[in-house]
Amino acid sequence: MSRIYPIALLIIANIFMTYAWYGHLKDMKGKPLLLVIVSSWLVAFMEYCFQVPANRLGHEVFTLGQLKIAQEVITMSVFAVFSVLYMKERITLDYLWAGLCLAGAVYFIFRSP
């Protein structure tokens, strides 16, 4: 099993989830909360369609801890791109420092065979 498939699926899943969690802040301002919840839930369903296979495939080639840390790094990376390109917000120095901490987590979780 290639390690690339679960990572690719996690990236796709995170794009859906990031939009489900934050896209409504831009696209559904002024809409009824129930409509926003249902719409976000439908987008989140798509996230699960990629997340579950990613975790099943990923657990064949990664430890559970490695899979979780990879997920967190992907989440922060997708969120950074989403924030800048879609939400038009700036990435702060503190966000970059947090990313550096995640890079340290990646190092420690993947350093042992």
Side-chain angles (χ1 to χ4, degrees):
M1 165 63 58
S2 171
R3 290 177 168 230
I4 200 75
Y5 294 123
I7 298 301
L9 289 170
L10 286 174
I11 291 168
I12 295 166
N14 269 278
I15 291 168
F16 280 107
M17 188 51 88
T18 301
Y19 184 80
W21 282 23
Y22 303 106
H24 65 86
L25 297 173
K26 178 178 179 181
D27 295 335
M28 301 190 87
K29 285 184 179 178
K31 301 287 185 199
L33 183 57
L34 184 58
L35 175 65
V36 174
I37 290 169
V38 171
S39 299
S40 292
W41 183 84
L42 290 171
V43 174
F45 172 76
M46 292 303 301
E47 183 263 347
Y48 276 86
C49 290
F50 291 95
Q51 182 75 27
V52 171
N55 285 332
R56 283 185 168 233
L57 293 172
H59 197 247
E60 293 176 12
V61 293
F62 298 114
T63 67
L64 194 59
Q66 289 173 332
L67 196 57
K68 182 59 182 170
I69 294 298
Q71 166 66 32
E72 294 303 326
V73 170
I74 291 167
T75 297
M76 293 295 285
S77 301
V78 167
F79 182 78
V81 172
F82 177 84
S83 293
V84 171
L85 297 180
Y86 192 77
M87 299 296 286
K88 307 296 185 207
E89 294 197 5
R90 294 180 331 123
I91 296 296
T92 64
L93 188 56
D94 286 341
Y95 192 91
L96 295 175
W97 284 118
L100 184 61
C101 290
L102 280 174
V106 169
Y107 169 76
F108 286 113
I109 202 72
F110 283 96
R111 74 180 175 160
S112 300

